[in-house]
Amino acid sequence: MEEARDLDRLDSLKRFREEFYIQPEMIYMDGNSLGLMSRRAERTLLEIMDSWKAHGINGWTGGERPWFYLPEQLSAKMAPFVGAKPEEVMVTGSTTSNLHQILATFFRPDGKRTKILADELNFPSDIYAIKSQLELRGLDPVEHLVSVNSRDGHLIEEEDIIGAMSEEIAMAILPSVLYRSGQVLDMPALTEAAHRHGILIGYDLCHSVGAMEHSLHDWGADFAFWCTYKFLNGGPGSTGGLFIHERHFGTAPGLAGWFGSDKEKQFDMEHTMTPAPHAGAYQVGTPNIFSMAPLAGSLELFEEAGLSALREKSLRLTRFMMELVDQELDGHGFKMANPREDGRRGGHVYLEHEEAARICSALKAEGVIPDFRAPKGIRLAPVALYNSFEEVCQTILTLKKIMDEKAYMKFENQRGVVA
Ligand SMILES: *Cc1c(COP(=O)(O)O)cnc(C)c1O
């Protein structure tokens, strides 16, 4: 514990913790599922609610943050998070709806190239979206969804993905960071390989955006999509994001709607759409202004802290946690299934245990909020913006106490509705 306190004293990012609403008596290790609320996010949400109060319909073009331009303004602020040009990014939709838009726009089965490449550890929603898009085109997912297998049930080897890049693959959709094991995929190498094989490639950045840096434009990725309520702390259901490489600008949106119009033309109300000449073309309907308002404040904190400093601290937090797991939990039946190497490890530690569901219930009863993933996964995410080394230490010591005292036996080994 002394060591943890020393690390906190030396932490150059420690002032950011004060920006967040941290409940006393609670240690929050679930910022990779839903980030905490910051005072800045609260402020910008309240400001935008006030502009509705004060301006009514005129809030679209008047007031301090006219709603009509808010998505584009936030997109420009979001671009550095993914290493893109401002016009390549759009704050819109949700992870899943943005993936639908990307598939509807860019999946063009042609001759022998009729298949989509994904991985067997992918998030279910992404797989549902891919399967439904195949079915919409009369293609059987059993044949046309090619799923790369994991060798050990936790990690996906890049060489196995590249090995599956046949000339029947039109498109590859992969995570930047696997949501369970937290493995970071080598996006530059995968992108290069995909293009060598004539395949379009895009990434789901849900578990990396706000946690580490990206260079989507320079890597040459074709597209990407993500949510903003995890590491970006945009609040439950906050508006998602998409990236379209500029080489694809001008491709007609597969799912068209008037908010994808060139902003100068939108209110001409013509029945022939003039799409925006950039990623804005892939918006559909009226933006969810209150669901993006908190981002305006939240993103400021990242600009001040800097992504590279946040990533550096995040790696130190998870490394510290891994060391404590090794020291304190040995012999208690845990298996650490996240990669140990810094370059391959995302923003959380992933433990498996046969009693995971009730161990998580016991942790919650002790005030530690983990993230249970059925059937036996425990994700622990110490977040660089607001968690401390002391909290990491307390989390693992609490876990040790629960195991030593078998306190988890008081709970049922079942998941709740959400988890
Ligand atoms: C959180 C998450 C999602 C969630 O999708 P929504 O459309 O935002 O509900 C999708 N994919 C991955 C990898 C995720 O981690």
Side-chain angles (χ1 to χ4, degrees):
M1 193 62 86
E2 252 333 289
E3 187 192 351
R5 293 199 179 115
D6 285 341
L7 290 168
D8 284 329
R9 263 191 292 277
L10 295 171
D11 175 13
S12 61
L13 297 175
K14 63 171 176 271
R15 78 173 173 90
F16 289 97
R17 184 175 165 86
E18 267 92 73
E19 298 273 359
F20 286 85
Y21 287 100
I22 310 246
Q23 298 304 313
E25 312 298 321
M26 186 201 273
I27 296 183
Y28 197 73
M29 287 286 148
D30 205 1
N32 62 338
S33 261
L34 180 71
L36 289 181
M37 179 167 164
S38 64
R39 292 172 211 286
R40 310 262 193 124
E42 178 183 42
R43 194 198 70 216
T44 49
L45 175 58
L46 291 175
E47 275 173 21
I48 289 186
M49 287 175 69
D50 276 342
S51 69
W52 179 28
K53 213 186 276 173
H55 304 293
I57 184 90
N58 292 330
W60 282 106
T61 48
E64 268 182 51
R65 289 181 201 271
W67 313 326
F68 192 54
Y69 302 102
L70 184 65
E72 279 74 13
Q73 277 166 4
L74 286 174
S75 304
K77 283 194 179 296
M78 184 82 83
F81 286 75
V82 296
K85 297 186 175 182
E87 61 276 17
E88 290 175 319
V89 167
M90 201 61 227
V91 172
T92 184
S94 72
T95 314
T96 314
S97 73
N98 290 338
L99 173 55
H100 273 292
Q101 175 66 291
I102 285 165
L103 290 164
T105 305
F106 295 101
F107 177 49
R108 296 270 168 262
D110 181 27
K112 261 168 62 178
R113 276 195 202 273
T114 57
K115 300 188 178 177
I116 298 178
L117 184 65
D119 70 274
E120 70 162 343
L121 302 181
N122 212 322
F123 196 86
S125 198
D126 298 32
I127 298 297
Y128 303 161
I130 294 171
K131 285 186 177 173
S132 71
Q133 288 281 342
L134 286 166
E135 280 165 350
L136 275 173
R137 289 167 162 83
L139 299 169
D140 182 358
V142 174
E143 194 191 330
H144 295 270
L145 171 58
V146 177
S147 190
V148 180
N149 290 326
S150 163
R151 297 182 193 181
D152 65 353
H154 302 293
L155 309 180
I156 301 279
E157 300 306 320
E158 282 85 352
E159 60 176 295
D160 294 346
I161 301 174
I162 294 170
M165 291 180 175
S166 74
E167 49 194 45
E168 296 186 341
I169 308 288
M171 202 165 169
I173 302 288
L174 296 163
S176 51
V177 170
L178 274 63
Y179 77 101
R180 277 172 193 274
S181 69
Q183 176 196 355
V184 181
L185 287 181
D186 185 345
M187 289 177 271
L190 291 169
T191 304
E192 190 273 322
H195 290 166
R196 198 158 18 87
H197 289 91
I199 296 169
L200 294 178
I201 189 162
Y203 299 98
D204 179 331
L205 307 183
C206 279
H207 280 279
S208 61
V209 69
M212 61 188 70
E213 292 168 289
H214 308 75
S215 303
L216 290 179
H217 179 86
D218 288 345
W219 297 337
D222 293 288
F223 25 73
F225 50 98
W226 58 90
C227 65
T228 59
Y229 48 79
K230 292 173 180 166
F231 288 100
L232 289 179
N233 312 316
S238 58
T239 306
L242 59 73
F243 161 86
I244 306 292
H245 196 283
E246 66 180 356
R247 78 173 82 89
H248 296 301
F249 288 178
T251 308
L255 305 174
W258 73 320
F259 264 82
S261 297
D262 187 319
K263 285 195 127 46
E264 299 294 315
K265 292 270 168 63
Q266 180 174 342
F267 279 84
D268 290 348
M269 307 307 261
E270 284 168 4
H271 278 192
T272 302
M273 181 182 175
T274 306
H278 46 62
Y282 308 99
Q283 298 171 91
V284 183
T286 305
N288 310 124
I289 296 298
F290 292 159
S291 293
M292 55 178 78
L295 279 174
S298 175
L299 297 187
E300 283 175 11
L301 293 172
F302 287 83
E303 284 162 15
E304 289 168 26
L307 275 180
S308 74
L310 286 168
R311 170 66 169 158
E312 194 262 336
K313 178 178 170 187
S314 160
L315 286 171
R316 289 198 297 126
L317 284 165
T318 48
R319 198 179 311 130
F320 186 55
M321 182 177 269
M322 293 192 302
E323 284 165 12
L324 288 169
V325 168
D326 290 342
Q327 274 168 36
E328 306 291 337
L329 297 178
D330 194 35
H332 280 300
F334 289 97
K335 175 181 163 46
M336 193 187 294
N338 55 273
R340 296 223 171 209
E341 315 89 287
D342 281 4
R344 271 190 121 188
R345 191 169 80 250
H348 66 266
V349 167
Y350 182 64
L351 304 176
E352 286 202 336
H353 196 288
E354 291 304 325
E355 309 280 358
R358 47 180 168 171
I359 292 172
C360 285
S361 302
L363 275 170
K364 284 190 177 179
E366 294 284 334
V368 177
I369 312 297
D371 191 66
F372 172 64
R373 288 294 120 172
K376 52 181 180 177
I378 305 173
R379 297 191 303 188
L380 297 170
V383 172
L385 263 178
Y386 50 76
N387 284 123
S388 65
F389 289 89
E390 185 173 340
E391 287 179 308
V392 169
C393 189
Q394 276 171 356
T395 297
I396 302 305
L397 293 182
T398 305
L399 199 46
K400 180 179 163 59
K401 185 171 135 241
I402 287 168
M403 301 315 292
D404 284 343
E405 296 172 0
K406 297 204 176 341
Y408 60 88
M409 305 277 275
K410 287 188 295 214
F411 300 86
E412 273 189 85
N413 203 26
Q414 273 182 4
R415 70 169 172 84
V417 179
V418 176

